[in-house]
């Protein structure tokens, strides 16, 4: 593309504390001595926005943030990276997570403060989001309840949506609207044994591409031309696995809108994911 791709990411930014532990809790009462911790911007919307920016896109992120210290930190971090932040001020405060991270990339995410996750997007912001989406090359919608009300107006406006359903198991009804709305669908294979059948069904239903990530085992990509297997880029040390899926998405999506074949898009995604896990930041 002659110009940098324009991307719009809708919903999802938080202030997170990442706590490194020797092993994740096993469901019993116990005392855990942390190996260390740090704080940084988090959540899938922020992860996608920051990684798209790192890939050279012009990026706007709509999210809800409180008028509070965590919200100010989130906004400053995103703007410092060059992301335009469209803030819907949340009277319930900024979303905050505590993530327990083990040395192998495992994670337990605790929503310490949820904010207004379930309140639908208001009319003013809905109109602005649709207007921006129509002009964007990449539009990613996260699967928080607040964005569900945007799916129909975005599709009615002819917008092709990139949707990441994370560890969807293929059954839970919560994800159904998001799966149906996705032109480009990404998910992890961790909770869905029949991921190949699921992906093939989505392509038959009109999805242009389905990306299935397998963590350290790489990814599989299905289009009308068939399956492509993408090896992971090996890393010596995983510093923080947060943002790996968002990073893969960003590399793949920017390659796709540049007209590259799925194999090369997957390689870009794998390289971006490897960079993300080597860092304590999302990107």
């Amino acid at each position: 593309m002659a110009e940098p791709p324009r991307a719009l990411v809708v919903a999802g930014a938080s202030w997170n504390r990442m706590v490194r532990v020797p092993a994740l809790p096993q469901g019993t009462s116990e005392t855990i001595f942390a190996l260390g911790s740090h704080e940084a911007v988090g959540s899938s919307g922020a992860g996608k926005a920051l990684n798209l920016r790192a890939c050279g896109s012009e990026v706007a992120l709509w999210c809800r943030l409180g008028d509070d210290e965590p919200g100010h930190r989130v906004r400053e971090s995103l703007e410092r990276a060059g992301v335009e932040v469209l803030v819907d001020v949340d009277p319930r405060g900024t979303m905050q997570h505590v993530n327990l991270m083990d040395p192998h990339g495992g994670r337990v995410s605790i929503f310490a403060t949820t904010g207004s996750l379930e309140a639908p997007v208001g009319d003013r912001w809905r109109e602005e989001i649709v207007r921006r989406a129509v002009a964007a090359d990449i539009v990613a919608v996260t699967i928080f309840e607040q964005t569900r009300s945007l799916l129909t107006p975005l599709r009615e406006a002819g917008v092709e949506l990139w949707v990441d359903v994370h560890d969807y198991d293929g059954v839970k009804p919560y994800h159904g609207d998001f799966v149906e709305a996705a032109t480009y669908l990404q998910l992890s294979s961790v909770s869905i044994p029949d991921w190949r059948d699921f992906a093939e069904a989505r392509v038959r239903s009109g999805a242009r591409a389905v990306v299935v990530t397998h963590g350290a085992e790489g990814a599989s990509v299905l289009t009308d031309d068939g399956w492509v297997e993408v090896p992971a880029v090996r890393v010596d040390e995983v510093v923080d696995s947060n943002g790996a899926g968002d990073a893969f998405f960003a590399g793949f999506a920017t390659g796709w809108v540049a007209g590259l074949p799925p194999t090369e898009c997957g390689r870009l995604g794998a390289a971006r994911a490897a960079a993300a896990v080597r860092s304590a930041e999302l990107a």
Side-chain angles (χ1 to χ4, degrees):
M1 300 178 68
E3 299 293 332
R6 294 165 294 176
L8 174 67
V9 182
V10 182
S14 62
W15 188 251
N16 288 8
R17 175 179 289 275
M18 273 65 70
V19 182
R20 300 189 304 279
V21 295
L24 297 179
Q26 299 302 306
T28 60
S29 297
E30 58 182 310
T31 298
I32 299 175
F33 291 89
L35 303 174
S37 67
H38 68 279
E39 295 184 3
V41 63
S43 198
S44 185
K48 287 178 170 58
L50 288 167
N51 278 285
L52 284 165
R53 185 69 187 131
C55 290
S57 295
E58 296 179 357
V59 185
L61 168 66
W62 178 90
C63 59
R64 285 184 170 139
L65 298 174
D67 185 11
D68 49 25
E69 184 59 29
H72 299 161
R73 290 180 184 179
V74 170
R75 186 167 190 164
E76 289 167 5
S77 297
L78 292 165
E79 290 179 342
R80 187 164 58 247
V83 175
E84 180 186 5
V85 187
L86 310 174
V87 176
D88 186 2
V89 178
D90 192 336
R92 297 184 62 183
T94 299
M95 184 165 52
Q96 298 180 63
H97 302 168
V98 177
N99 290 344
L100 305 182
M101 313 293 301
D102 73 16
H104 310 292
R107 179 182 67 180
V108 172
S109 187
I110 302 167
F111 280 54
T113 304
T114 62
S116 301
L117 277 180
E118 297 187 355
V121 177
D123 291 343
R124 181 180 72 85
W125 275 116
R126 184 161 54 248
E127 293 173 3
E128 176 68 6
I129 288 167
V130 171
R131 183 186 70 80
R132 285 175 174 262
V134 168
D137 301 298
I138 300 169
V139 179
V141 177
T142 57
I143 58 172
F144 288 149
E145 181 63 34
Q146 60 193 351
T147 64
R148 193 183 301 273
S149 62
L150 295 169
L151 298 177
T152 296
L154 285 169
R155 292 307 300 268
E156 288 178 346
V159 177
E160 296 188 335
L161 298 180
W162 295 78
V163 181
D164 182 356
V165 290
H166 302 282
D167 57 352
Y168 176 49
D169 63 1
V171 178
K172 292 176 183 175
Y174 176 91
H175 299 76
D177 292 340
F178 296 96
V179 170
E180 293 292 333
T183 312
Y184 306 93
L185 183 65
Q186 180 170 312
L187 69 155
S188 166
S189 63
V190 66
S191 297
I192 181 167
D194 58 343
W195 53 268
R196 284 189 178 272
D197 291 342
F198 173 78
E200 290 167 359
R202 293 319 309 158
V203 169
R204 288 195 299 271
S205 296
R208 295 188 62 191
V210 178
V211 176
V212 185
T213 60
H214 313 301
E217 301 306 315
S220 304
V221 180
L222 179 64
T223 67
D224 285 336
D225 294 326
W227 284 100
V228 170
E229 300 301 323
V230 180
V233 174
R234 300 300 173 184
V235 299
D236 295 331
E237 180 184 6
V238 175
V239 175
D240 184 347
S241 62
N242 284 293
D246 300 324
F248 191 101
F249 152 80
F252 187 93
T254 51
W256 184 277
V257 299
L260 299 180
T263 301
E264 187 60 26
C265 294
R267 289 174 181 163
L268 290 173
R272 174 57 36 198
V277 301
R278 290 189 183 107
S279 167
E281 306 292 333
L282 290 176

